[in-house]
Amino acid sequence: MALDQHIIQRWRSSKLLLLGGSAGSFKLIFRVVKSMPPNLDKTVIVVIHRKKNFFSEIEKLFAENTRMYTREITDKDKIADNTVYIVPANYHALIEKDGTFGLDVSEAVWYSKPSIDVTFESAAEVYGNRCTAVLFSGANQDGAAGLLKLKQAGSLTIVQHPDDAEMLEMPQAAINLDAGNYVLHNNEIFELLSI
Amino acid sequence: MDNVWTAATLTETELNELVDLVKRVHGFDFSEYSKASLRRRLVRIMQFKKLHFYDLKHKLVNDPQFFQEFLEEITVNVTEMFRDPAFYRALNAQVLPYLSSYQHIKIWSAGCSSGEEVYSLAILLHEAGLHHKSFIYGTDINTEVLKEARMGIYSLRKIKSYAENYHFAGLPGSITDHFTMMYDAATIHSELKQNTLFSVHNLISDTIFNEFQMISCRNVFIYFESELQEKVLDLFYRSLCPLGFLCLGNKETIRSDFFRKRFKVINSKENIYQKIGA
């Protein structure tokens, strides 16, 4: 299926790419970020659920395999273009109006910290319609409400097609809320984000 | 949950109005708190209590009991024993050998919430044979959480979840060795409660109350805007003895040049600093 010009245009004009996922999402998100050109004039924020205390080496893997500058978020980091930010385990990451990150250790959302909802919702507050967000596979409902907020703010929201998701609860929850502008198969997601 | 309430929001003007009201009526100043997180907490209260903006203002003015609940919800009180186990390993290896040379070790755990960090430090000092000459002050702005801290009683479910941290912190035995177990709760051993003192202290408005060899303030700065972080850093700097240690959270760093010159980095991953001369 060829992607329509409208979706391509909205992706191109985005300032921020949000990638959220839980169980079964890591490889896909990693592949997306790996394929990013070094000169992408956008900020990428990755929110992946994972267990605390187990250093999953996610940050290292990303940093060594991507052409964009990659870093794990530290509190009050200034949000820069051309950079991939990974939300650290056991923290929620919020975006401040002054263009910095704020971390937060409050209660888990859907048993998850980081929570995709928290980052997506605060991105909607600050970036409004200037985001593209993709919600991938996962075994709980985190991310769906945040994706809806982004859609309502006018951003481009994409849900991984449940047929392609290893765990379909997360994309299905987003579909149930009608939070996605598009429900796309993996190949379409990769095609779009590499344009 | 009702859809009306999940969709509750707060404009910037409303947020500022609430901050102003709390400052005037209750004397607590949240004006330099990180806005995104503060807004999230406020919206959460509105959702839980099913309050519109105007109801919330009304309750804040007219219901003194409500303010305590409000404060508890606004200030994040999520904590764990041996949170970030690698931090405790670093303390053990890099800080305790130094502290052991002091006759008396005074430690301040700032923003201690329900006391888990204070007791974690007490256990660490106990295992290092330093507890008898140590004194740990736990402070928080919230009187309710300090009551919990003083009791030192935690649910069995929580203790189980702390057991993994304890193990990763590299301490011998099990975390339960330091507790008296009851049916559904565990009480910290009374000798570990000795040499601890919990009291109210507001990092924003209160001043120096003692001199310390070590100050731990982890995951508190993330709720403060940069200017406020500077002010509190100044308070900590003045509260530390020469060559005393400052411990910040895993993702919190000293950013200002002014204080970067006044603290030496002891452990850059765990953000442990040592006070040096200006």
Side-chain angles (χ1 to χ4, degrees):
Chain A
M1 182 189 114
L3 295 160
D4 65 62
Q5 279 308 309
H6 183 64
I7 186 172
I8 293 171
Q9 185 47 44
R10 287 180 71 186
W11 154 241
R12 280 202 173 132
S13 63
S14 303
K15 289 303 294 167
L16 186 66
L17 171 65
L18 297 151
L19 301 169
S22 187
S25 73
F26 176 76
K27 269 194 223 158
L28 297 168
I29 293 178
F30 187 53
R31 217 180 109 191
V32 167
V33 177
K34 240 167 80 167
S35 68
M36 293 282 161
N39 56 349
L40 187 81
D41 61 338
K42 305 180 199 306
T43 304
V44 182
I45 302 176
V46 174
V47 200
I48 301 180
H49 292 164
R50 56 206 191 279
K51 229 179 145 262
K52 62 165 190 173
N53 289 346
F54 289 95
F55 289 106
S56 48
E57 302 280 311
I58 286 185
E59 292 72 24
K60 238 180 105 190
L61 258 169
F62 271 95
E64 286 168 3
N65 291 284
T66 55
R67 288 175 287 171
M68 284 175 77
Y69 175 61
T70 305
R71 60 168 293 145
E72 192 184 53
I73 297 168
T74 295
D75 184 52
K76 304 289 181 285
D77 275 347
K78 271 210 166 7
I79 300 172
D81 280 354
N82 237 314
T83 306
V84 181
Y85 293 96
I86 319 267
V87 178
N90 221 12
Y91 288 86
H92 298 306
L94 295 135
I95 297 168
E96 295 285 353
K97 282 218 163 66
D98 66 358
T100 60
F101 283 109
L103 294 177
D104 181 313
V105 290
S106 61
E107 307 78 6
V109 177
W110 295 106
Y111 307 102
S112 307
K113 196 158 53 171
S115 148
I116 303 166
D117 275 342
V118 169
T119 301
F120 279 18
E121 278 169 18
S122 88
E125 292 268 354
V126 176
Y127 281 79
N129 62 2
R130 293 175 298 151
C131 306
T132 292
V134 191
L135 191 63
F136 289 94
S137 160
N140 69 33
Q141 299 181 36
D142 186 30
L147 199 70
L148 180 61
K149 282 259 165 71
L150 281 162
K151 184 186 177 190
Q152 287 164 345
S155 278
L156 171 61
T157 58
I158 295 162
V159 182
Q160 182 188 23
H161 199 293
D163 285 353
D164 285 6
E166 232 174 277
M167 301 283 172
L168 54 81
E169 190 166 351
M170 191 174 274
Q172 193 58 55
I175 290 167
N176 295 347
L177 279 184
D178 192 21
N181 297 124
Y182 296 87
V183 178
L184 298 184
H185 287 284
N186 287 349
N187 58 343
E188 295 168 316
I189 295 171
F190 293 129
E191 189 190 330
L192 175 71
L193 299 183
S194 58
I195 288 174
Chain B
M1 223 188 300
D2 210 312
N3 275 337
V4 179
W5 295 106
T6 50
T9 53
L10 204 59
T11 66
E12 201 157 332
T13 318
E14 288 170 338
L15 177 89
N16 292 335
E17 219 177 296
L18 280 173
V19 167
D20 213 50
L21 181 89
V22 168
K23 192 172 164 184
R24 275 187 289 114
V25 178
H26 298 281
F28 282 86
D29 185 1
F30 289 107
S31 62
E32 290 181 280
Y33 268 57
S34 300
K35 292 292 168 296
S37 162
L38 183 61
R39 166 179 305 197
R40 189 167 165 257
R41 305 309 296 174
L42 289 167
V43 168
R44 226 177 107 92
I45 294 176
M46 292 164 70
Q47 288 171 347
F48 272 11
K49 300 276 172 184
K50 300 201 186 311
L51 295 171
H52 286 291
F53 174 62
Y54 290 100
D55 306 330
L56 179 59
K57 283 208 304 186
H58 181 81
K59 268 179 101 74
L60 278 171
V61 175
N62 298 301
D63 184 348
Q65 186 54 44
F66 175 75
F67 181 68
Q68 283 307 319
E69 278 179 66
F70 175 85
L71 194 60
E72 211 165 326
E73 192 53 49
I74 286 296
T75 55
V76 172
N77 291 299
V78 175
T79 176
E80 293 166 34
M81 285 191 82
F82 296 98
R83 190 197 146 91
D84 302 322
F87 165 70
Y88 289 90
R89 283 205 303 273
L91 277 189
N92 219 357
Q94 293 176 282
V95 178
L96 293 197
Y98 190 93
L99 292 185
S100 67
S101 65
Y102 287 101
Q103 202 99 58
H104 298 286
I105 307 166
K106 277 185 288 183
I107 295 175
W108 178 13
S109 170
C112 72
S113 189
S114 38
E116 280 88 336
E117 181 177 273
V118 168
Y119 294 126
S120 303
L121 291 169
I123 291 171
L124 193 79
L125 290 160
H126 172 76
E127 292 294 339
L130 299 173
H131 186 253
H132 64 282
K133 61 170 181 174
S134 306
F135 205 98
I136 311 172
Y137 295 81
T139 66
D140 204 280
I141 57 171
N142 193 323
T143 49
E144 290 305 306
V145 293
L146 287 171
K147 281 183 199 162
E148 279 179 61
R150 280 187 201 103
M151 288 195 292
I153 301 172
Y154 302 104
S155 74
L156 225 50
R157 188 182 51 78
K158 276 190 173 177
I159 296 297
K160 274 187 191 159
S161 75
Y162 301 154
E164 182 188 278
N165 287 355
Y166 182 88
H167 174 69
F168 284 126
L171 287 162
S174 144
I175 194 164
T176 52
D177 299 344
H178 306 283
F179 286 86
T180 303
M181 313 300 275
M182 295 173 288
Y183 287 107
D184 54 359
T187 310
I188 188 95
H189 281 167
S190 57
E191 74 252 32
L192 291 167
K193 279 169 90 170
Q194 282 166 15
N195 306 350
T196 62
L197 183 76
F198 291 98
S199 66
V200 175
H201 183 277
N202 186 336
L203 289 171
I204 299 165
S205 53
D206 295 342
T207 61
I208 296 179
F209 64 97
N210 213 320
E211 191 186 66
F212 301 95
Q213 276 73 45
M214 180 183 133
I215 297 174
S216 177
C217 183
R218 300 196 301 141
N219 296 315
V220 176
F221 271 23
I222 50 179
Y223 300 106
F224 298 165
E225 288 182 342
S226 305
E227 296 76 25
L228 181 56
Q229 291 187 351
E230 291 273 291
K231 286 182 213 165
V232 180
L233 267 177
D234 181 58
L235 170 67
F236 289 159
Y237 185 78
R238 289 182 292 124
S239 301
L240 281 169
C241 71
L243 303 177
F245 295 90
L246 174 66
C247 308
L248 298 180
N250 221 302
K251 305 286 172 248
E252 297 168 321
T253 55
I254 295 180
R255 286 175 187 273
S256 81
D257 286 339
F258 183 84
F259 283 108
R260 287 179 80 90
K261 282 186 204 133
R262 284 161 178 80
F263 284 102
K264 179 180 149 194
V265 179
I266 296 296
N267 186 314
S268 62
K269 212 161 164 18
E270 301 306 324
N271 296 316
I272 301 173
Y273 299 89
Q274 187 171 32
K275 172 177 174 170
I276 51 175

